[in-house]
């Protein structure tokens, strides 16, 4: 190993010119004080209804103030990181740690195999020694189609990896690269190779899609690999044995690409599923991968990505190692979180899916307060942090200095058989897996809970937001998909806050108070619905009864209300534009803010209450990664899709909930193609696939971006029209 240097491998800088933000904060605080003084001094004394309405407004504003305060704690002093990859290369050369990369998929219908393998190919092509990389695909759908697609990708990688190295391709997902890049016409040799590679990719993609349309693997293909024999014993996707296949064994001298360079290890895993066992969704899949990989490669660093989050930066691994391998501060870093960015956003971010302000402001502030949370994808972990190890200040870790070649010498076939037990249903019984080891169980947002537990074990984390995005994924393309996703996030976050893992209790004395409050910004999304629903309904009803909850415009007491509204609006618009958005994008964000707080957050809050009462159970819903052509076209044109019902509330298992949401169905009716509950697609208990298919295919109505927000509009769907009132 090269001699150590005193120069750090990364540096931390703080945002400049924060004076304006702090003056703005001070002015808002003063205005809020005047508002509360007005509320207390002008409390009505006569009518009971007026008193209750006034007190409701007061407590709503009290909640808004509290939530505003914790967001200020997060935003007060954000920091950003810069890495020195050249120093890493000079200091360590090729003596770098191995890395295990986990890709999780759950359903070949809503997560197409072509998309999954394109993500895997982008990761296989990292600018990192391939013999030190092992890629694991967890297929919770147990699909032979996904396995077939992985076999096709393993063959295509022999051409794709040399192509990326030769032409220094940065977007190493072939699907994204050929969609965005124009054919080079000024260089005949380059143009010829480019066209040949594109044709090879299109041929592979066509073969996979052809098999997908057939619905089964043809006999001539199934005979080409022994792995297909595993599906002879499969009863269903929810009832099958462990299927483990080492598609590429990186230790094999014959596992090379077309230029003779070694290929990364590539492993397919479909963990055992039995109806009588709880499989714990993505957390269970990740824990199975941790155990299986510890037997095959046991690399000290683990990267996990969602199947739609392809690698957009070939140097991401080296960036992460700059943090882990820094001599001064690296030993205390448990994980490195990259931002969650998206590739399919519209110009004005129709459904506010970019999370720009969160990714470019809030998480940077959280980093200063003790470290960002784990957001479930694009995250590099030390293996030991996921295995429950505690960090003790001053201790030094030698795990990253392991020689990656010191692996188990068993053959691939032996490893396939011996590792199956590690992914069996019964393996975790009476163990600490899901409690003190691996990802935490029992929560819809297992990533946030796991990150909090790692912080409370003494580790810190860092947030790295490079100039070139490290990963790009797929954002929801319909209003319903977006609301369903936020409902799951809000429900899971509140579930943590109401549990023993509440950061204010669980983190007391373990993590800084500022970090505890930073977590609360996420965990208290759902309770925002109460104050928001009050503010959008009660003042209107009071106005109809002649009850005034606000001072007259001519009164001096109106100034704090007006100033607070205008100042926060102008600041948030400026912040949105500074983060790369547009003014229309900010308006879309404000609109979605109302939609989420009055629907997603409300049902997330209600589900938590019903769960605590024993009436309802949490269900994990996978967000669809594909959309129909007409939906995609309207999304690209920024035509907002409006649903007539909210099927993400599991009313089939909860008659009480069905009664609660009936008024909302009628309120959101948008066309005469809308269905009532009886005509919605049948939902099995905890059925992810059926629900997401429903999100994409039934009862759609569309209204243009310009139309949304007016009190009454007419919209046409399949030749029919209907008035929308009170949108």
């Amino acid at each position: 190993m090269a001699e150590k240097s005193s120069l750090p491998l990364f540096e931390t800088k703080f945002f400049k010119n924060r004076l304006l933000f702090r003056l703005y904060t001070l002015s808002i605080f003063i205005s809020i004080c005047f508002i509360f003084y007005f509320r207390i001094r002008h409390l009505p004394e006569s009518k009971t209804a007026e008193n209750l309405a006034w007190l409701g407004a007061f407590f709503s504003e009290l909640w808004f103030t509290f939530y505003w305060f914790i967001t200020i704690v997060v935003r007060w002093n954000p920091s950003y990181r810069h890495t020195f990859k050249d120093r890493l290369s000079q200091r360590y050369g090729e003596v770098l740690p191995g890395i295990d990369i986990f890709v999780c998929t759950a359903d070949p219908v809503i997560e197409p195999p072509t998309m999954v393998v394109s993500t895997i190919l982008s990761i296989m092509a990292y600018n990192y020694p391939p013999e030190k990389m092992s890629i694991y695909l967890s297929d919770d759908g147990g699909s032979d189609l996904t396995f077939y697609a992985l076999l096709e990708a393993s063959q295509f990688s022999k051409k794709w990896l040399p192509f990326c190295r030769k032409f220094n391709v940065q977007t190493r997902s072939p699907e994204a690269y050929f969609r965005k890049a124009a054919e080079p016409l000024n260089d005949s040799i380059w143009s010829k190779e480019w066209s040949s590679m594109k044709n090879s990719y299109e041929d592979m993609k066509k073969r996979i899609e052809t098999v997908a349309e057939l619905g089964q693997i043809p006999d001539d293909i199934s005979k080409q690999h022994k792995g297909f024999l595993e599906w002879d014993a499969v009863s269903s996707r929810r009832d099958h044995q462990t299927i483990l296949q080492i598609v590429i064994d990186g230790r094999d001298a014959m596992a090379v690409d077309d230029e003779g360079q070694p290929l990364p290890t590539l492993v397919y895993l479909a963990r055992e599923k039995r109806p009588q066992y709880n499989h714990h969704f993505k957390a269970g899949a990740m824990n199975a991968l941790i155990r299986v990989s510890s037997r095959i490669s046991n690399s000290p660093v683990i990267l996990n990505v969602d199947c739609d989050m392809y690698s957009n930066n070939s140097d991401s691994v080296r960036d992460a190692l700059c943090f882990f391998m820094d001599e001064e501060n690296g030993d205390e870093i448990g994980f490195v979180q990259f931002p969650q960015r998206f590739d399919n956003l519209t110009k004005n971010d129709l459904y506010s899916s970019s999370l720009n302000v969160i990714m470019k402001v809030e998480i940077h502030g959280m980093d200063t307060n003790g470290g960002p949370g784990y957001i479930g994808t694009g995250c590099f972990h030390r293996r030991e942090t996921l295995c429950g190890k505690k960090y003790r200040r001053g201790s030094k870790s030698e795990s990253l200095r392991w020689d990656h070649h010191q692996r188990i010498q068993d053959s691939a076939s032996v490893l396939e058989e011996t590792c199956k037990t590690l992914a069996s249903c019964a393996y975790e019984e009476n163990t600490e897996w899901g409690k003190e080891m691996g990802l935490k169980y029992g929560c819809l947002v297992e990533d946030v809970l796991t990150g909090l537990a790692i912080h409370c074990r003494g580790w810190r984390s860092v947030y790295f937001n490079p100039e070139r995005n490290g990963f790009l994924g797929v954002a929801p393309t319909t209003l319903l998909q977006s609301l369903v996703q936020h409902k799951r996030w809000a429900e899971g976050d509140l579930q943590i806050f109401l549990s023993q893992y509440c950061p204010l209790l669980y983190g007391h004395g373990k993590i800084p108070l500022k970090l505890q409050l930073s977590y609360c910004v996420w965990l208290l999304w759902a309770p925002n619905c109460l104050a928001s629903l009050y503010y959008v309904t009660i003042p209107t009803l009071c106005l109809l009864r002649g009850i005034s909850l606000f001072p007259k415009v001519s009164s001096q007491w109106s100034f704090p209300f007006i100033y607070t509204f205008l100042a926060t609006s102008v600041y948030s618009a400026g912040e949105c534009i500074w983060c790369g958005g547009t003014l229309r994008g900010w308006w879309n964000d404000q609109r979605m803010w109302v939609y989420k707080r009055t629907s997603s957050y409300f049902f997330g809050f209600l589900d938590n209450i019903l769960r605590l009462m024993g009436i309802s159970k949490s269900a994990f819903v996978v967000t669809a990664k594909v959309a129909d052509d007409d939906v995609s076209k309207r999304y690209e044109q920024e035509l907002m899709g409006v649903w007539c019902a909210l099927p993400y509330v599991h009313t089939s298992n909860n008659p009480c909930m069905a009664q609660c949401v009936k008024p909302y169905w009628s309120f959101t009716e948008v066309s005469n193609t809308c269905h009532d509950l009886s005509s919605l697609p049948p939902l099995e208990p905890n059925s992810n696939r059926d629900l997401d298919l429903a999100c994409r295919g039934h009862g759609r109505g569309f209204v243009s971006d310009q139309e949304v927000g007016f009190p009454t509009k007419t919209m046409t769907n399949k030749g029919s029209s209907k008035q929308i009132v009170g949108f």
Side-chain angles (χ1 to χ4, degrees):
M1 187 181 298
E3 183 179 355
K4 290 185 178 181
S5 169
S6 59
L7 294 176
L9 296 179
F10 72 92
E11 66 176 355
T12 303
K13 295 183 178 180
F14 294 93
F15 282 28
K16 298 179 180 179
N17 303 320
R18 300 296 290 169
L19 179 61
L20 183 62
F21 168 76
R22 290 168 185 176
L23 289 175
Y24 154 78
T25 301
L26 178 61
S27 68
I28 294 297
F29 176 74
I30 294 172
S31 292
I32 290 173
C33 290
F34 278 114
I35 290 173
F36 284 142
Y37 181 76
F38 168 79
R39 287 291 179 204
I40 295 171
R41 184 173 179 180
H42 295 83
L43 181 66
E45 299 179 355
S46 54
K47 300 178 181 178
T48 303
E50 190 172 355
N51 275 335
L52 292 176
W54 194 273
L55 288 174
F58 173 77
F59 286 116
S60 296
E61 290 157 0
L62 198 63
W63 171 262
F64 289 141
T65 300
F66 166 73
Y67 195 78
W68 172 81
F69 169 74
I70 60 177
T71 61
I72 293 300
V73 170
V74 173
R75 295 162 178 250
W76 191 254
N77 192 28
S79 61
Y80 62 96
R81 315 280 183 170
H82 177 71
T83 59
F84 301 102
K85 293 185 289 293
D86 54 337
R87 297 178 185 175
L88 178 74
S89 300
Q90 293 170 5
R91 196 168 304 172
Y92 295 101
E94 294 300 312
V95 186
L96 296 170
I99 178 169
D100 290 343
I101 304 174
F102 299 166
V103 181
C104 296
T105 184
D107 191 306
V109 175
I110 61 179
E111 295 173 335
T114 52
M115 178 187 68
V116 175
V117 298
S118 191
T119 296
I120 289 175
L121 286 166
S122 73
I123 291 169
M124 293 179 70
Y126 267 134
N127 179 25
Y128 200 73
E131 67 274 9
K132 298 187 178 184
M133 292 195 299
S134 300
I135 294 94
Y136 295 81
L137 174 63
S138 170
D139 179 17
D140 257 12
S143 170
D144 53 355
L145 173 59
T146 302
F147 177 67
Y148 166 67
L150 192 65
L151 292 177
E152 287 282 1
S154 68
Q155 295 300 314
F156 179 72
S157 67
K158 297 178 181 180
K159 302 177 182 178
W160 178 245
L161 270 61
F163 178 83
C164 292
R165 288 195 300 266
K166 181 176 181 180
F167 298 105
N168 194 28
V169 174
Q170 279 299 308
T171 304
R172 299 197 172 185
S173 160
E175 178 67 29
Y177 176 72
F178 290 118
R179 185 178 69 246
K180 297 178 180 179
E183 181 178 355
L185 301 176
N186 55 348
D187 188 330
S188 58
I189 298 178
W190 169 216
S191 177
K192 183 178 180 180
E193 291 197 40
W194 190 93
S195 299
S196 175
M197 186 58 61
K198 182 178 182 181
N199 291 335
S200 296
Y201 174 68
E202 293 295 338
D203 289 343
M204 180 194 73
K205 185 177 176 181
K206 185 176 180 180
R207 289 194 297 272
I208 295 173
E209 291 175 344
T210 299
V211 173
E213 291 176 0
L214 290 174
Q216 61 181 6
I217 305 297
D219 291 339
D220 58 327
I221 294 178
S222 62
K223 294 176 182 178
Q224 296 176 9
H225 196 282
K226 63 181 178 60
F228 288 109
L229 297 175
E230 296 282 354
W231 273 269
D232 293 342
V234 172
S235 300
S236 71
R237 55 177 294 196
R238 296 183 179 88
D239 187 7
H240 61 80
Q241 78 285 6
T242 299
I243 303 174
L244 176 63
Q245 293 291 311
I246 299 178
V247 178
I248 299 177
D249 185 357
R251 304 169 302 169
D252 188 351
M254 301 299 293
V256 294
D257 60 29
D258 288 351
E259 292 184 348
Q261 296 297 315
L263 289 170
T265 296
L266 184 61
V267 180
Y268 173 90
L269 173 66
R271 59 189 173 125
E272 184 183 18
K273 292 283 190 73
R274 300 300 178 194
Q276 65 269 30
Y277 286 93
N278 188 343
H279 304 296
H280 304 291
F281 310 111
K282 182 180 176 181
M286 284 283 293
N287 287 345
L289 286 174
I290 293 172
R291 295 192 297 272
V292 169
S293 65
S294 69
R295 186 76 173 84
I296 296 175
S297 52
N298 201 29
S299 297
V301 178
I302 293 174
L303 163 66
N304 85 280
V305 295
D306 289 342
C307 63
D308 64 307
M309 299 290 292
Y310 68 83
S311 170
N312 187 59
N313 187 333
S314 61
D315 286 324
S316 293
V317 176
R318 294 180 181 270
D319 281 322
L321 290 181
C322 285
F323 296 102
F324 288 130
M325 303 187 74
D326 183 78
E327 283 82 2
E328 184 176 352
N329 299 308
D331 290 305
E332 66 178 0
I333 297 174
F335 62 90
V336 179
Q337 179 65 64
F338 280 66
Q340 187 173 9
R341 312 296 291 168
F342 302 100
D343 191 31
N344 63 330
L345 298 174
T346 61
K347 177 183 177 182
N348 297 307
D349 193 11
L350 181 61
Y351 296 120
S352 187
S353 300
S354 67
L355 307 176
N356 264 343
V357 174
I358 293 177
M359 295 297 165
K360 293 188 176 182
V361 179
E362 290 186 356
I363 301 187
H364 282 285
M366 195 174 182
D367 193 5
T368 304
N369 294 342
Y374 170 36
I375 59 178
T377 184
C379 188
F380 292 82
H381 285 273
R382 290 181 185 270
R383 178 180 289 271
E384 54 195 356
T385 64
L386 290 177
C387 292
K389 182 178 179 179
K390 294 182 179 180
Y391 173 76
R392 290 176 175 80
R393 186 170 299 278
S395 62
K396 294 292 183 180
S397 174
E398 294 297 325
S399 62
L400 298 188
R401 279 74 176 175
W402 294 346
D403 185 350
H404 189 71
H405 293 283
Q406 293 180 357
R407 295 182 176 181
I408 297 173
Q409 298 302 312
D410 293 339
S411 66
S413 58
V414 171
L415 287 174
E416 287 174 352
E417 290 303 317
T418 57
C419 290
K420 287 182 179 180
T421 304
L422 301 176
S424 64
C425 292
Y427 184 86
E428 294 182 350
E429 288 187 336
N430 301 317
T431 70
E432 292 299 312
W433 283 99
K435 301 172 185 176
E436 297 300 324
M437 297 180 66
L439 274 69
K440 296 279 189 178
Y441 292 159
C443 181
L444 291 177
V445 285
E446 73 292 325
D447 45 7
V448 177
L449 180 55
T450 301
L452 174 61
I454 292 173
H455 282 147
C456 290
R457 288 199 290 265
W459 299 93
R460 70 159 294 131
S461 59
V462 297
Y463 181 61
F464 184 60
N465 190 358
E467 291 185 10
R468 181 179 180 86
N469 290 320
F471 304 91
L472 291 174
V474 178
T477 56
T478 68
L479 177 61
L480 182 61
Q481 286 178 6
S482 181
L483 295 180
V484 167
Q485 186 180 66
H486 279 273
K487 186 262 181 183
R488 176 170 64 84
W489 290 347
E491 180 183 352
D493 288 338
L494 183 59
Q495 185 179 355
I496 296 174
F497 189 82
L498 298 177
S499 72
Q500 61 178 324
Y501 296 107
C502 174
L504 299 177
L505 301 175
Y506 183 64
H508 180 68
K510 301 175 183 176
I511 58 177
L513 178 60
K514 290 191 296 184
L515 184 56
Q516 297 173 37
L517 294 175
S518 298
Y519 268 107
C520 289
V521 172
W522 297 349
L523 305 190
L524 294 177
W525 273 355
N528 274 310
C529 71
L530 301 179
S532 300
L533 282 168
Y534 187 92
Y535 240 74
V536 300
T537 55
I538 301 302
T540 304
L541 298 176
C542 288
L543 191 62
L544 295 176
R545 296 192 59 178
I547 300 174
S548 177
L549 296 181
F550 303 97
K552 295 180 179 179
V553 176
S554 58
S555 169
Q556 61 182 359
W557 288 109
S558 67
F559 178 77
F561 290 91
I562 295 173
Y563 175 79
T564 301
F565 170 75
L566 292 178
T568 53
S569 298
V570 171
Y571 178 81
S572 64
E575 189 176 55
C576 177
I577 294 172
W578 180 82
C579 290
T582 64
L583 195 59
R584 177 59 64 83
W586 168 78
W587 177 251
N588 288 336
D589 181 70
Q590 299 300 299
R591 179 171 58 190
M592 287 299 299
W593 179 88
V594 175
Y595 289 173
K596 288 183 291 189
R597 289 197 175 199
T598 56
S599 59
S600 300
Y601 295 176
F602 171 71
F603 289 116
F605 180 85
L606 195 56
D607 267 1
N608 267 285
I609 300 302
L610 296 176
R611 177 182 55 81
L612 292 174
M613 297 170 61
I615 300 176
S616 175
K617 291 184 179 181
S618 299
F620 191 95
V621 178
V622 180
T623 305
K625 307 300 191 302
V626 291
D628 298 336
D629 290 340
D630 59 336
V631 174
S632 298
K633 184 176 180 180
R634 288 177 171 87
Y635 173 71
E636 291 168 1
Q637 295 173 346
E638 298 197 335
L639 302 177
M640 178 168 281
V642 184
W643 242 69
C644 62
L646 296 177
Y648 58 86
V649 181
H650 292 278
T651 55
S652 57
N653 294 331
N654 194 338
C656 176
M657 180 70 79
Q659 296 300 318
C660 293
V661 299
K662 278 183 179 178
Y664 204 92
W665 292 336
S666 59
F667 174 75
T668 52
E669 183 179 298
V670 293
S671 76
N672 63 3
T673 61
C674 294
H675 307 288
D676 59 16
L677 179 63
S678 61
S679 61
L680 285 174
L683 297 179
E684 300 177 8
N686 301 338
S687 172
N688 300 340
R689 174 181 169 185
D690 292 341
L691 181 56
D692 281 304
L693 289 175
C695 293
R696 294 191 288 122
H698 295 272
R700 292 187 303 269
F702 294 90
V703 60
S704 71
D705 184 48
Q706 290 82 4
E707 289 174 351
V708 173
F710 287 84
T712 304
K713 280 291 175 181
T714 302
M715 134 178 110
T716 303
N717 190 5
K718 297 182 180 180
S720 61
S721 63
K722 192 159 187 175
Q723 293 285 325
I724 309 173
V725 181
F727 215 131

